[in-house]
Amino acid sequence: MMHLFYAAGGGLGHISRTTAFIQQLDLNPRKVCLLSNSTYAIVPFIPKDIQVIPLVPEIIRDNRVYREFLLRLISEWNIQKVYLDAFPAGLMGEWNDFPPINQVEFCYLARILKWEVYEKQCLRRAPHFENTYLLEPITGEQRHFIEENSRFIIPFTLDYPKSDLTAAKVQRLKSLKKEGRETWLIIHSEPEEEVEELFHYAQETARIQGKKPYFILSSQSHHSLDTTHTEVWEDIYPAYALFPWVDRIVSACGFNTIQQTRLFRDKHIFIPFHRKYDDQFLRARLVRENYYNLKDNLY
């Protein structure tokens, strides 16, 4: 059985979430096609045997061309399961009114959206989903849509693959501990201006708390920061391998980071950023209200 994973969106988040899901379901990478326009759809961010189908601008700028491309892709690769990540009708509504295809089953990986915005701009008639995997607490109209358009609703907590630091990195962290320094991790892939904002936020927080920590910046983005008392570790992926070692984690409020810091909430500082469809401010409120630890019908 061939599986098609739709992971449109240029950032690292869609790739991290999708690959974690694929590995947790123990799917054979050789039986997986990943449809993505992300520059991170490469090793080491994805398993080497996954077939990546690039979404190039020539395809996605025209909905008719896009639809024909999707139909041809499903036919040529003999796709039997399609998983739509985050966007139930696609990033631009390209999966709306999709013609029925024999033996093709749709699934939805659901995370929080700015539902009113997404519904108005993208949603007409999404596919009906055999399974919707609730990856975080979802309420309101988005939850109502899921209940109306899913055969099965499955609460699903992602378990990200285990990751270890190199011996050199461990030794460096131990040496900082011996110096009596706190180590604060700033983690954010991009864009550059948000990385800089998080860095300055961490510095100001430390100043207010009367601390002088050593900062470790983990980012795939270029930057022009004053890195005195700071190390930039661009070669750390996934960065959650650092979480047990550091005294503070400073991040945005994206889906993956919030999931990965579940066991480290007491040392996690976060600020939400504006996104077109991802509602980081709602996610931040749910974290602060402890909804992520509740086992009720929100999940």
Side-chain angles (χ1 to χ4, degrees):
M1 176 185 291
M2 287 298 294
H3 304 259
L4 175 65
F5 280 82
Y6 168 92
L12 182 55
H14 292 280
I15 299 300
S16 298
R17 179 171 49 253
T18 301
T19 54
F21 183 86
I22 290 168
Q23 291 173 329
Q24 194 165 339
L25 261 61
D26 200 24
L27 299 180
N28 182 350
R30 291 187 172 87
K31 296 292 185 180
V32 171
C33 294
L34 178 65
L35 190 62
S36 177
N37 59 339
S38 174
T39 57
Y40 299 106
I42 55 174
V43 176
F45 304 107
I46 64 171
K48 65 179 181 179
D49 291 326
I50 287 179
Q51 176 66 48
V52 176
I53 311 294
L55 281 173
V56 297
E58 291 76 15
I59 293 172
I60 62 178
R61 68 165 57 105
D62 185 316
N63 253 355
R64 181 185 60 82
V65 173
Y66 201 167
R67 182 69 58 89
E68 291 174 355
F69 167 79
L70 293 172
L71 285 167
R72 188 167 61 252
L73 176 65
I74 288 171
S75 174
E76 290 177 356
W77 285 88
N78 193 27
I79 301 296
Q80 293 171 280
K81 272 197 173 185
V82 176
Y83 297 81
L84 302 185
D85 175 56
F87 309 117
L91 189 56
M92 294 168 290
E94 62 273 15
W95 292 97
N96 278 310
D97 301 302
F98 205 76
I101 305 173
N102 289 339
Q103 297 182 333
V104 174
E105 189 177 280
F106 282 85
C107 299
Y108 173 32
L109 309 186
R111 64 147 167 84
I112 289 170
L113 292 175
K114 293 178 181 175
W115 189 252
E116 289 185 4
V117 178
Y118 180 78
E119 185 178 35
K120 181 179 179 180
Q121 296 190 11
C122 294
L123 193 63
R124 296 191 304 276
R125 192 176 68 175
H128 189 82
F129 301 107
E130 177 69 11
N131 295 323
T132 289
Y133 297 90
L134 285 184
L135 302 183
E136 61 182 336
I138 293 175
T139 61
E141 289 302 312
Q142 186 178 1
R143 179 65 181 239
H144 178 71
F145 164 83
I146 289 169
E147 292 172 348
E148 290 291 311
N149 289 275
S150 308
R151 184 179 179 191
F152 299 108
I153 301 173
I154 304 170
F156 196 91
T157 300
L158 282 178
D159 291 326
Y160 293 83
K162 189 176 184 298
S163 179
D164 294 315
L165 294 175
T166 63
K169 295 299 187 191
V170 171
Q171 188 58 41
R172 177 60 182 142
L173 288 165
K174 285 181 176 179
S175 70
L176 289 170
K177 294 285 187 186
K178 287 180 180 178
E179 293 174 14
R181 283 182 175 272
E182 284 195 8
T183 51
W184 288 26
L185 170 66
I186 300 103
I187 170 177
H188 196 50
S189 59
E190 58 181 358
E192 178 183 349
E193 57 269 21
E194 291 182 359
V195 175
E196 293 182 1
E197 183 173 343
L198 283 171
F199 185 78
H200 295 310
Y201 178 71
Q203 287 182 313
E204 181 64 11
T205 301
R207 186 191 65 78
I208 291 170
Q209 294 180 0
K211 296 182 177 181
K212 295 182 179 180
Y214 201 89
F215 295 106
I216 296 173
L217 174 62
S218 177
S219 175
Q220 284 74 41
S221 173
H222 297 292
H223 54 81
S224 54
L225 297 167
D226 176 9
T227 54
T228 306
H229 306 300
T230 302
E231 294 184 24
V232 181
W233 289 8
E234 295 176 344
D235 57 339
I236 296 295
Y237 181 83
Y240 55 75
L242 284 162
F243 291 176
W245 293 92
V246 298
D247 298 289
R248 287 283 189 275
I249 303 163
V250 182
S251 77
C253 207
F255 170 86
N256 291 294
T257 303
I258 292 301
Q259 294 292 318
Q260 292 161 359
T261 53
R262 287 195 306 269
L263 301 179
F264 304 96
R265 287 284 156 78
D266 59 330
K267 57 182 177 182
H268 186 202
I269 304 168
F270 54 83
I271 56 174
F273 289 109
H274 287 282
R275 294 289 183 267
K276 184 175 182 180
Y277 295 133
D278 182 26
D279 196 340
Q280 293 199 7
F281 290 86
L282 173 57
R283 184 175 295 115
R285 179 172 66 80
L286 291 176
V287 172
R288 292 186 180 109
E289 293 174 359
N290 212 31
Y291 278 87
Y292 278 76
N293 293 331
L294 296 179
K295 302 295 183 183
D296 60 14
N297 61 1
L298 291 178
Y299 230 138

